[in-house]
Amino acid sequence: MADSWDGSSEIGSQSDEIFHFERVHLEPIYDAFVCPLTKQVMSDPVTLENGQTFEREAIEKWFRECKESGRKMVCPLTLKELKSTDMNPSIALRNTIEEWTARNEAVQLDMARRSLNLGSSETEILHALKYVELICQKSRSNKHIARSAGLIPLIVDMLKSGSRRVRCKALETLRIVVEEDAENKEMLAEGDIVRTIVKFLSHELSKEREEAVSLLYELSKSETLCEKIGSVNGAILILVGMTSSKSENLLTVEKAEKTLENLEKCENNVRQMAENGRLQPLLTQILEGRPETKLSMASYLGELVLNNDVKVIVAKTVGSSLINIMRSGTMESRESALKALNQISSYEASAKVLIEAGILPPLVKDLFTVGSNQLPMRLKEVSATILANVVNSGYDFDSILVGSDDQTLVSEDIVHNLLHLISNTGPAIECKLLQVLVGLTSSKTTVLNVVAAIKSSGATISLVQFIEAPQKDLRVASIKLLQNLSPLMGQELADALRGSVGQLSSLIKVISENIGITEEQAAAVGLLADLPERDLGLTRQMLDESAFQMIISRVVRIRQGETRGTRFVTPFLEGLVRVLARVTFVLADEPDCVALCRENNLAQLFTDMLQANGLDNVQMVSATALENLSLESKNLTRLPELPPPGLCGSIFPCFSKPPTISGLCKLHRGTCTQRESFCLLEGQAVEKLVALLDHTNERVVEAALAALSTLLDDGVDIEQGVTVLCEAEGIKPILDVLLEKRTDNLRRRAVWVVERILRTDDIAYEVSGDPNVSTALVDAFQHGDYRTRQIAERALKHVDKIPNFSGIFPNMG
């Protein structure tokens, strides 16, 4: 039974790889040194009552197994029962073995040292490294022996081996040599050893990479080596990448994570981690670090470039702490907090987090405070930038208190203070404060308050003057603000531009710059487009500035594809078309506008733009412009000169026939052309307008219907107008518009047009059989406004749905 027992699997067995080292003895192995159970040299010999000596751990295991199996306690050698299981330590034998071991290990260590050179074979080097591992694992004192024997530099040299197995084993051996030994760790801090170890991290998914991480984890337990590891370019970046890898060995990921946790002891490493996307250590320092550490980390946070998702995390984690520092810290700490808040407020979602954390009151206070505790101008600029970021997040600011007396950002006093600061600070702060107003006027819930405050402060002229600012950012901010204000302050802004010297010219100059299409240009043309289109004085000034010729040129170039690819092309083109359409609103009062339309054949240009698919605003404005042009056609058509009647005709007019003149416009009864009289029929615009009646955008449909209604106006031949619509297959689409009842305006316009069409008996007869049309007219008659009800009543009479009493009671007609 004793012969079959083998404890070598658990008790200090040594690999066959180092057998050749064990053969080199100063003295032979004595039988007394060897445990009969393990067949290995004993390290803690004990003697039983019968005088037999065994390794303590081995004989204890023997007795435990006897007890567990219910056998008698017998000696493993003699198999005779023992009266007692007491064990007496063999001190003399142990000392003799230790002396013998030390002498032999010295010889074996020397042999290993000689094998650790790049000229040895791979097998010899691997055996030597394995032996060093074993003696270092045997006792901590052996690690001192290995250091004294100069083995550590030799093992490091093995990292340069051409054999992957050797390099991998060398990394493993170094880890065992430095475990729990500060002096051995310090030796690896010398020279470029750490850099060499870090290089192994770049070996993708290899055993070397795993061993290098394990070694770095062990080294990172030393604060000196933490700095050394962090100083190696790319070390922290690779470790951070490993912690988030899905393909790494889980143990390797864990070691990389623990290594980074150890490296956090050094502030420079924390900064590097933050720079490489591992922000939590930096945020923890801001929350829990010493005051000076909080200051430096907050300052560094302000320098980092963060992606938007990270900004939200940072805002949620340290936003409140940074706001508290901004409220009550020293000037230096307030500066650090402001810079960090500036960074994380630049994304809409993170800005909203800061708003909920209470950033607005201290921000406003910092901007408006004067005296000994006021911020220097460079920090007020940062505060203004943060406020601009926050305000442009789309939050509901009319419900957030920012001062005493229940004041909000859009309270009159607050807006007045902002306007005062804008007029009394430098360009940088002025720009940011204008951006604040841009944000507040971008919301329907707050723009009315801002407009009221601007009007009550008389600041319109001051704001308009910024159009001429030499600083582009300042100019862009002012133009965007004025564009936001123009729907509610259009006439005031038009008056300011007309009465000023240079501002209108500056706007036109911005639009005309041939540098692609910029945000500034889109905002400038949008501002001009929003101004009252019937302001004749402004239109005349734009004529004097040759603005319309420049705008026509830019529209043509965009349509020809010469300008494309920027995100501002669409708003810029829409603005250009709207500004160009201004000339069609004052044709009756300004001959120069008629001349401009003729010279540049604007009727053709607007007709072409009816087919600008996908650009609803361009189509809508073009249709409106054609409506205006068509309304003037009856005044611009050239009526034929009739020859005087002969003698007989003058005496007996009933015998004379009117002369027949061919080539006249059947609508306007004169000579029409698209260029000269803007005739829709001659310009072949009718079919294109009819096509728009099926548009999904109600405003486009309404504009197209309005343009078509000019064919049925009082100044033209209505019967011929109906014929034109029939030929263009426009009757059914017009009736469909009436039936759909999409908006009140569309219904009002459709009822007017349908009534005119139904004056033609054939159409009236055909429509009278359609109950849907009758129902739609009855609905308009019952629910429309006064004018619509009147027109619907006439239409119903045309289809005999209401009795026509005018024939019976002529005076009631």
Side-chain angles (χ1 to χ4, degrees), residues 240 244 273-279 283 301-316 340-351 353:
V240 169
S244 59
M273 290 178 201
E275 187 178 335
N276 291 301
R278 187 183 174 91
L279 268 173
L283 302 181
L301 179 59
E303 298 171 9
L304 287 174
V305 177
L306 306 175
N307 67 46
N308 289 336
D309 291 340
V310 172
K311 288 176 186 175
V312 176
I313 295 170
V314 173
K316 289 179 178 178
L341 289 167
N342 182 30
Q343 170 68 263
I344 60 179
S345 67
S346 57
Y347 177 52
E348 183 178 305
S350 54
V353 173

Side-chain angles (χ1 to χ4, degrees), residues 546-562:
S546 299
F548 294 112
Q549 284 86 347
M550 175 272 294
I551 288 171
I552 293 168
S553 172
R554 298 228 64 172
V555 169
V556 170
R557 286 169 56 196
I558 291 174
R559 286 185 53 75
Q560 290 176 345
E562 294 180 22

Side-chain angles (χ1 to χ4, degrees), residues 103-172:
R103 291 192 298 271
N104 283 289
E105 282 183 350
V107 174
Q108 292 162 353
L109 204 59
D110 183 63
M111 181 180 176
R113 188 176 60 79
R114 289 197 303 272
S115 297
L116 290 175
N117 73 79
L118 297 176
S120 301
S121 69
E122 180 186 271
T123 303
E124 287 179 319
I125 296 173
L126 290 173
H127 287 169
L129 291 171
K130 181 62 177 177
Y131 180 73
V132 174
E133 285 184 15
L134 289 171
I135 64 166
C136 287
Q137 288 171 327
K138 187 179 289 187
S139 72
R140 290 183 63 181
S141 62
N142 284 346
K143 295 182 180 182
H144 171 73
I145 295 171
R147 180 173 67 252
S148 301
L151 288 176
I152 294 177
L154 297 176
I155 299 170
V156 170
D157 284 343
M158 296 304 102
L159 298 177
K160 303 172 187 175
S161 170
S163 164
R164 178 175 294 180
R165 293 180 64 200
V166 168
R167 295 193 303 268
C168 196
K169 194 66 175 176
L171 289 166
E172 178 187 316

Side-chain angles (χ1 to χ4, degrees), residues 533-534 578 581-589 621 624-625 628:
E533 60 267 2
R534 297 186 187 276
R578 289 175 64 199
R582 289 183 67 87
V583 298
T584 69
F585 285 90
V586 293
L587 294 171
D589 302 311
V621 173
T624 300
N628 295 336

Side-chain angles (χ1 to χ4, degrees), residues 739-752:
L739 296 176
E740 288 170 1
K741 298 182 291 187
R742 288 202 262 179
T743 67
D744 289 341
N745 284 340
L746 259 180
R747 179 169 69 175
R748 189 180 304 114
R749 178 74 69 178
V751 168
W752 186 92

